[in-house]
Amino acid sequence: MNYLEKFRPQYHYSPERNWMNDPNGMVYYEGEYHLFYQHTPFATQPDFQRMHWGHAVSSDLVYWEELPPALPPGEDGAIFSGSAVVDKHNTSGFFDEEGSGLVAIYTNNDNKVQADKPQVQSIAYSKDNGRTWTKYGGNPVLFPGTTIDFRDPKVFWHEETSKWIMSLAVQDRIEFYTSSNLKEWTFASAFGADAVGTHRGIYECPDLFSINVDGDPNKKKWVLILSVGDCNGVNPNDPEPPAGGSGMLYFVGGFDGKTFISDEPVDSIDDLKWIDFGSDFYAAVTWSNMPEGAGRRLWLGWMNNWRYAGLLPTSQWRGSMSMPRELKLKTYPEGLRLVQEPIKEFNGIRSTLATLENVTIEPDMNPLVDITVDKAELIAEFEIGTATEFGFKVRKSADEETVIGFDSIEMELFVDRTNSGITNFHPDFAAKHRAPLDLSGNRVRISIYIDWSSIEVFGDDGTVVISDTIFPAPESNGLELYAVGGHIKLVSLHINEMESIWRMSDKVKEEAHADRGH
Ligand code: FRU
């Protein structure tokens, strides 16, 4: 097994084999970042009756080591999405005199014990850095009222009230619960049932966290994240996410330990703030217990969309994660907006392939004609000229290309994967995904991350993001810089090759290189 199969992401996490969806239980603890995830370890399709928590660890968020699945299903049901916390003060009593440990809080789906309550919340604890887990004898710790959809607990310690807070997705709302010991939970409040335009799908995978405003540690706001599913919503007339299927929203506001209040009320669909304008970024939640002082808020998402998740044209595994990204909240003329950028740790796996500066690009010239890349970072800055559209064509061959461009008439950044490779596994896959990008001056910055089956595009330093999977032929590795209808000035362009994160012997690496025609 060398992680060289067709379409295997080379610097994005995917399980060695079988199905993966949401990231779960992300926590930093004793020098390791944990990434748990929804995993069916015996099949490349999801099994919602036998979902496990898969597990991987990393010391730097770049290189990952896959460990055996952490939480298996049983009579208590499948292990659905949830979170993990470090119980520093042993509030749970699980850790006796041994100090702190990890507690996982997750949904049991389809449990056999209370058949009339298909989704309940349970906990498990680990005294050995997440390697083995004990399910709490008093599970489940939280039962639903009347709704069937009652899941995806994300828990954090709220210093101000000395309580654990759980955000939970409950069909058309996020409910907040509080606890002093992780075992007994009290309902506090609900958010979102009246948020206009958000109910085409049910809510899933919430996350509530505080974050510095404009990097100022003395100025904080609360951000509520949620994912909106592709079906079973309460209002089928509500809009789809920008790229269709399942997608993610956020709200900025205040939280007093019980109630979240959005600063900008959601009275119309124009008030909705979408996280990503591509099709493939879902169920993202943030790492808890980040190292002190760093003030960083990091997350990653599942690079897939429930509309076609089970149909991706891979065989040994199905599903991959986005790059870990750093979240920031920045002030713009229109208000506070969430900004995402790949974590700086990726600088360690890039090497310069080419640099261009101050080149005027006219129609029908391609200064990158001699460059081939299949996993790379492109960092570009343009000065708008007379061109009506410009950008890059990547993973290109005679009959395939993925276009990443800026439409200077509509002022939109876009990814067009209509002709990106294999697209016929679902009628909605071949599409152009657009994101509005208002330029403050006449310059636009675009960073692009290309891998064997994905594209992540960050416009104006992460102000807008488009994340899309693609399935090009391995030999589609051409690159083009193009302008349409006039010229454009390329102020600077850095093209960096990205190394594979899968540690391989030099021999395997050499063979892979030869196989791929380098
Ligand atoms: C989101 C989700 C969660 C659920 C999990 C099941 O993608 O539907 O709500 O816990 O996936 O795998």
Side-chain angles (χ1 to χ4, degrees):
M1 178 60 222
N2 52 23
Y3 288 88
L4 288 167
E5 307 97 324
K6 194 174 180 188
F7 304 135
R8 173 72 81 178
Q10 295 295 293
Y11 60 94
H12 292 80
Y13 184 78
S14 59
E16 183 182 342
R17 291 193 179 277
N18 296 315
W19 170 266
M20 176 179 78
N21 59 296
D22 313 356
N24 296 151
M26 293 144 84
V27 61
Y28 176 80
Y29 187 53
E30 297 190 339
E32 285 180 321
Y33 293 91
H34 292 266
L35 168 61
F36 300 91
Y37 47 87
Q38 291 290 281
H39 188 39
T40 303
F42 46 83
T44 52
Q45 292 296 330
D47 182 336
F48 298 116
Q49 275 67 50
R50 293 170 69 200
M51 198 64 87
H52 292 55
W53 268 24
H55 191 193
V57 288
S58 172
S59 59
D60 57 9
L61 292 161
V62 174
Y63 296 97
W64 292 96
E65 181 189 352
E66 184 169 342
L67 298 175
L71 286 170
E75 283 298 296
D76 52 342
I79 315 292
F80 266 21
S81 285
S83 49
V85 295
V86 178
D87 187 9
K88 283 187 190 136
H89 311 298
N90 192 19
T91 62
S92 62
F94 289 145
F95 304 107
D96 315 314
E97 268 85 69
E98 296 165 47
S100 72
L102 293 174
V103 179
I105 309 97
Y106 53 90
T107 301
N108 275 134
N109 182 51
D110 197 28
N111 76 86
K112 307 285 176 286
V113 188
Q114 292 97 358
D116 60 325
K117 308 250 184 264
Q119 295 189 344
V120 293
Q121 316 318 318
S122 295
I123 58 179
Y125 58 93
S126 171
K127 297 181 176 181
D128 58 358
N129 298 61
R131 269 51 179 187
T132 61
W133 292 83
T134 307
K135 290 178 180 172
Y136 171 49
N139 279 341
V141 295
L142 184 59
F143 295 89
T146 49
T147 172
I148 287 176
D149 297 301
F150 189 72
R151 60 178 183 264
D152 308 340
K154 179 77 161 78
V155 174
F156 69 95
W157 179 253
H158 188 249
E159 287 292 345
E160 295 82 345
T161 55
S162 293
K163 286 259 162 54
W164 296 104
I165 311 288
M166 178 195 292
S167 312
L168 196 70
V170 186
Q171 202 184 35
D172 64 344
R173 57 196 183 274
I174 302 303
E175 292 188 350
F176 300 104
Y177 291 80
T178 64
S179 173
S180 53
N181 58 10
L182 295 165
K183 296 170 175 164
E184 281 127 346
W185 293 92
T186 308
F187 175 79
S189 69
F191 173 87
D194 57 359
V196 170
T198 64
H199 297 299
R200 187 185 172 96
I202 51 165
Y203 286 2
E204 301 185 311
C205 301
D207 194 0
L208 174 68
F209 53 83
S210 85
I211 188 167
N212 298 341
V213 176
D214 298 318
D216 180 351
N218 299 314
K219 234 173 123 193
K220 288 187 187 292
K221 272 283 169 193
W222 287 85
V223 174
L224 176 64
I225 301 286
L226 55 92
S227 289
V228 185
D230 185 31
C231 54
N232 301 333
V234 293
N235 192 347
N237 298 321
D238 277 357
E240 295 211 342
S246 49
M248 294 187 69
L249 284 168
Y250 73 98
F251 305 85
V252 180
F255 181 71
D256 62 1
K258 290 197 162 163
T259 310
F260 173 81
I261 297 178
S262 174
D263 285 354
E264 300 173 24
V266 189
D267 298 329
S268 99
I269 58 169
D270 299 332
D271 300 327
L272 299 182
K273 293 196 273 290
W274 296 101
I275 295 274
D276 198 301
F277 290 82
S279 187
D280 299 300
F281 188 76
Y282 197 66
V285 283
T286 63
W287 262 282
S288 70
N289 197 47
M290 286 295 290
E292 294 290 321
R296 294 172 89 196
R297 189 45 79 172
L298 307 185
W299 74 354
L300 52 66
W302 176 44
M303 281 203 86
N304 211 336
N305 191 309
W306 278 119
R307 183 150 294 179
Y308 47 71
L311 305 171
L312 302 191
T314 57
S315 41
Q316 291 87 346
W317 82 101
R318 187 165 282 115
S320 60
M321 296 301 183
S322 72
M323 299 167 88
R325 303 171 180 179
E326 178 160 3
L327 289 171
K328 291 182 179 160
L329 195 64
K330 288 194 184 165
T331 308
Y332 290 82
E334 62 273 25
L336 291 170
R337 295 294 177 263
L338 206 57
V339 167
Q340 309 181 58
E341 283 194 286
I343 52 167
K344 60 179 187 307
E345 283 80 349
F346 280 100
N347 294 348
I349 62 160
R350 67 184 190 188
S351 53
T352 306
L353 257 188
T355 303
L356 270 73
E357 272 178 0
N358 294 323
V359 186
T360 299
I361 313 295
E362 309 274 0
D364 299 320
M365 82 184 238
N366 175 18
L368 309 181
V369 69
D370 294 329
I371 299 180
T372 55
V373 282
D374 59 8
K375 49 180 174 43
E377 172 190 56
L378 310 184
I379 302 180
E381 181 162 357
F382 296 95
E383 203 174 274
I384 307 282
T386 55
T388 52
E389 181 190 314
F390 59 90
F392 297 93
K393 296 180 182 173
V394 308
R395 299 305 311 259
K396 188 178 147 66
S397 63
D399 39 36
E400 289 180 358
E401 63 187 25
T402 300
V403 189
I404 298 140
F406 187 75
D407 178 334
S408 22
I409 295 173
E410 300 293 335
M411 300 292 263
E412 281 175 347
L413 186 67
F414 67 84
V415 171
D416 187 344
R417 64 175 180 187
T418 313
N419 204 18
S420 55
I422 299 179
T423 59
N424 62 0
F425 52 90
H426 190 281
D428 293 349
F429 189 83
K432 184 170 175 177
H433 301 141
R434 306 156 197 270
L437 184 57
D438 283 334
L439 304 184
S440 43
N442 69 337
R443 291 200 172 192
V444 55
R445 284 186 296 281
I446 306 175
S447 307
I448 302 169
Y449 292 82
I450 305 163
D451 202 344
W452 285 6
S453 54
S454 66
I455 295 286
E456 283 155 284
V457 181
F458 299 83
D460 268 355
D461 308 316
T463 310
V464 295
V465 186
I466 307 180
S467 308
D468 275 332
T469 48
I470 51 169
F471 298 95
E475 52 282 1
S476 296
N477 57 10
L479 199 57
E480 182 179 336
L481 175 52
Y482 77 98
V484 175
H487 70 270
I488 182 84
K489 184 165 157 207
L490 176 71
V491 179
S492 62
L493 170 63
H494 299 275
I495 305 178
N496 300 314
E497 171 99 48
M498 299 293 269
E499 252 172 52
S500 172
I501 60 169
W502 304 112
R503 297 177 197 279
M504 298 182 277
S505 72
D506 288 347
K507 187 162 176 295
V508 173
K509 267 188 192 160
E510 261 170 43
E511 283 168 8
H513 223 59
D515 279 357
R516 295 179 63 82
H518 288 277

